[in-house]
Structures are given as structure tokens and as C-alpha cells.
Amino acid sequence: MCMRCEDRSEQIGCRLSWSLLLGAVAAWLAIRDLCPAYAADVAARADVTGRSRPAFAPASAAERRRLREVVRAAFLAARDGWSTDEVLLNDQLNRRFLDECRKRMPDADPRHCNWALLNLRKSGALRGLRARKRRHDRHDEYLHAAEIAARFLEDKYQLSIDRVLCCPRLRDEFDRVARSVAPDVEAYRLRKAAFGLRKARRLRPELVVRIADWGRRVMTFPAEEVAANPDLVPDAPGVYIFRDQTGYLYIGESSNLRHRVAKHLDHSDRKSLARYLWKNGLEGITVELHAFDPQSKARSRSVRRAYESELIRSRHPRFNIAP
């Protein structure tokens, strides 16, 4: 009996409400258990973003202290005079570091080891360890490729570039995206360029995204595939981005991404973009889509325009007029 219900009618209503709630929960659990595809999809998304429970996830303060001790000792054994950033970003050094972690903690998760190392550096726990070896690279020629990949992964998984590069699987995805823009640049340089952008505070998420949740999905398609099969693009409200190996080309918003993107690929009403596509063709052009739930506030044009304006300010596309 509910102690807050004073008369019998209220008690009956309260019991009915609880019965309906428990029934809904039971039905949801049954559907989840009976649908392997649902469970597999949730598990896959959780695993790729690093949000599932890993092989080793410190649950207590003592275990977290143990991980930090292991990571510090492994770093000292593997660094060979290099900085923490180099140990994180250089494949050979990172493999050596993770091997040293596993020697001391066989079930250590690479994501957690890399993340713990980065946090040791940020907290000043490695302050007395100066790097004796340094690489001085200029990233100007391919900085746009690092920015495109970093922003895409951050938007797609809602994770910082630090977390992306600490996770081996997401780092591989970063490499693929960045090298699709700058194929002649080694992955290490692109990662280091992305770290530099983050340190310069040039990868901060757009304010609109930080204060709103519109069920955003981020995806990319080659423009040639979209032209051949427009149904690849969802008929949902959102923002679209045209980019290629030179950087961001054009950013726009629409209440129906499928119709708007198809219009651009057929004959864009943005003359500068139309001339560029006519002159260079669609090969090498990527269409990046930020699609929103049709029932969200993004169905309002003013909301989409606010997000579009922030993307234009942060990405500086060639054929947009600055808002």
C-alpha cells in the first residue's frame, strides 16, 4: 500500500500506475532479450566508443592507484627519452608502452593505460621527467586533414580527441579519415597535428551541441555514391558539409537533407560550389551529414541555422559567407 495515498481510490490508482510501469519495463526487457540484433547493436556501439566495461576497469581507489603505478613504471621503461605525447601517438613507442603495462598487469586495457598516462601528465605527476628527444614538425600543409578527422570523430562519438587517440580502434578510424584527406602524410603526423589543434583550443565543440540533444547522427558518404543513390541520405532535418582533400567546401542546413543534398549534386544553386563541382567532378568529394530526430527542436529552421552558423565559424568553409 502506498503511504502517500489517503483514500482507497487514490490507492487503487497508485497500484494501477505501478502495475503499468512494471509491465512496460518487463516488456522492454523481454524485447531486448529476444532481439539479438538489438543487443548486438548496443554492444557494438558501446564497445567502439569505449563506454562498455573493459577487460580491466578499476572499481576502487586502490585499483586506480595500482593502475597509475603500473602506467608510470611502464612509461619509464618504454619512453627512451621521449615525451608522453610521443609515447601515445607513435605506434612503435605505444606498442612498447602497452607491452610494459601488460607485463605488470596482464589484463590491462589499452584504452585505460593510454588514458591514465595522459592524465598523469596533465596532473603533473610526471613533471620531473623531461624529454631528451623531440621531433619538430610543421603541420601547416595537412592541418586541415587532422581537423576534419578530429571533428568528425568528436561529432560522431561525442568524445574528445584525447579519448579518440587513446582508444586503438578509434585511433585507426581517425587515421583512415585523415589519410583519406591527406593520403601522402603518415598517420603519426596527422595525430600530432590533431593534438596541436586541441592544445590550441581549436577543437572545442559547438555551443549549440553542448546545450542541446537532438538525437544527432553523424555519417559520411562519397558524393559519387550519393549522386547514384540519393536514398543513402536520410530525409531528416540537419546540416550537411561538403569537403575534399583541400578542406571544407560548403556547409548548409535543410529540413530535408536528402532533397537538399540531391539538389546540390544535380545543379547547386550556390554558384561558387556549382562551378567547383562542375570543374572538378564528384570524385574525392565527401558529404558529411549531421542528421537530427525529426521530432526534435531541430525541425525549426532557426535552430538549424544556429548550428549551421557555429559550424561555419569553426570550420571556415571556402564557399560560405561568414555568418
Side-chain angles (χ1 to χ4, degrees):
M1 181 180 296
C2 180
M3 300 301 294
R4 294 183 180 179
C5 299
E6 296 181 356
D7 58 38
R8 183 170 179 78
S9 61
E10 288 181 340
Q11 291 172 5
I12 293 173
C14 184
R15 288 175 182 173
L16 181 60
S17 298
W18 275 105
S19 298
L20 291 173
L21 176 61
L22 292 173
V25 171
W28 179 82
L29 290 172
I31 292 172
R32 182 195 66 177
D33 294 337
L34 291 173
C35 183
Y38 172 86
D41 178 64
V42 171
R45 282 185 290 152
D47 182 63
V48 77
T49 58
R51 291 170 182 161
S52 62
R53 186 174 179 85
F56 181 82
S60 68
E63 290 174 318
R64 290 192 292 272
R65 283 195 298 271
R66 170 62 178 152
L67 177 62
R68 288 195 293 269
E69 292 170 0
V70 165
V71 166
R72 192 177 194 280
F75 173 66
L76 292 175
R79 66 187 295 244
D80 192 27
W82 293 100
S83 68
T84 53
D85 285 2
E86 294 292 335
V87 171
L88 285 169
L89 302 179
N90 180 284
D91 286 329
Q92 183 177 355
L93 288 172
N94 192 244
R95 281 194 296 269
R96 190 188 307 169
F97 163 69
L98 294 176
D99 286 344
E100 292 291 340
C101 287
R102 293 189 189 98
K103 287 180 184 178
R104 296 161 173 80
M105 186 180 290
D107 55 353
D109 188 304
R111 289 171 293 191
H112 288 264
C113 292
N114 285 334
W115 186 243
L117 177 60
L118 192 61
N119 282 318
L120 282 176
R121 192 260 290 166
K122 289 181 177 180
S123 68
L126 304 174
R127 187 176 292 117
L129 301 174
R130 293 186 175 275
R132 301 191 310 273
K133 299 178 181 179
R134 297 182 183 276
R135 283 186 57 167
H136 299 283
D137 299 306
R138 293 188 61 85
H139 307 299
D140 298 348
E141 294 183 0
Y142 48 84
L143 197 63
H144 65 288
E147 180 178 1
I148 286 172
R151 288 190 180 280
F152 174 67
L153 270 293
E154 287 187 336
D155 287 338
K156 183 177 181 180
Y157 295 111
Q158 298 181 27
L159 296 172
S160 69
I161 191 60
D162 286 354
R163 288 191 181 274
V164 166
L165 294 179
C166 282
C167 173
R169 188 182 301 184
L170 294 183
R171 180 163 61 188
D172 288 345
E173 187 172 354
F174 170 88
D175 293 348
R176 288 194 299 272
V177 175
R179 298 200 71 197
S180 71
V181 180
D184 297 328
V185 181
E186 64 176 317
Y188 158 80
R189 292 175 181 268
L190 293 163
R191 297 171 198 159
K192 196 167 183 180
F195 250 37
L197 287 169
R198 191 268 297 162
K199 291 178 180 179
R201 297 179 179 273
R202 290 177 56 182
L203 293 178
R204 299 181 68 182
E206 284 70 28
L207 177 62
V208 174
V209 176
R210 281 184 277 166
I211 63 175
D213 180 11
W214 302 325
R216 182 181 56 164
R217 293 176 295 145
V218 180
M219 61 202 82
T220 59
F221 299 101
E224 290 179 309
E225 291 185 13
V226 175
N229 184 10
D231 289 345
L232 289 172
V233 179
D235 55 349
V239 172
Y240 56 90
I241 301 173
F242 284 86
R243 54 179 169 84
D244 66 4
Q245 293 186 2
T246 66
Y248 293 105
L249 300 174
Y250 185 74
I251 297 175
E253 60 79 24
S254 177
S255 60
N256 190 308
L257 288 171
R258 182 181 299 167
H259 293 166
R260 187 62 177 141
V261 170
K263 172 66 176 175
H264 277 300
L265 295 178
D266 179 45
H267 185 73
S268 176
D269 52 8
R270 172 64 61 175
K271 293 183 179 179
S272 54
L273 178 62
R275 284 195 297 268
Y276 187 86
L277 296 178
W278 179 83
K279 180 180 178 181
N280 297 280
L282 298 182
E283 184 178 0
I285 303 289
T286 295
V287 181
E288 181 178 320
L289 304 170
H290 295 218
F292 298 108
D293 183 344
Q295 302 306 315
S296 70
K297 290 185 178 180
R299 66 180 181 272
S300 167
R301 188 184 185 196
S302 61
V303 172
R304 296 194 306 273
R305 289 297 298 271
Y307 183 48
E308 174 198 37
S309 295
E310 288 209 45
L311 291 178
I312 292 171
R313 288 192 185 97
S314 63
R315 287 154 171 76
H316 308 290
R318 188 189 311 180
F319 300 126
N320 281 91
I321 299 173

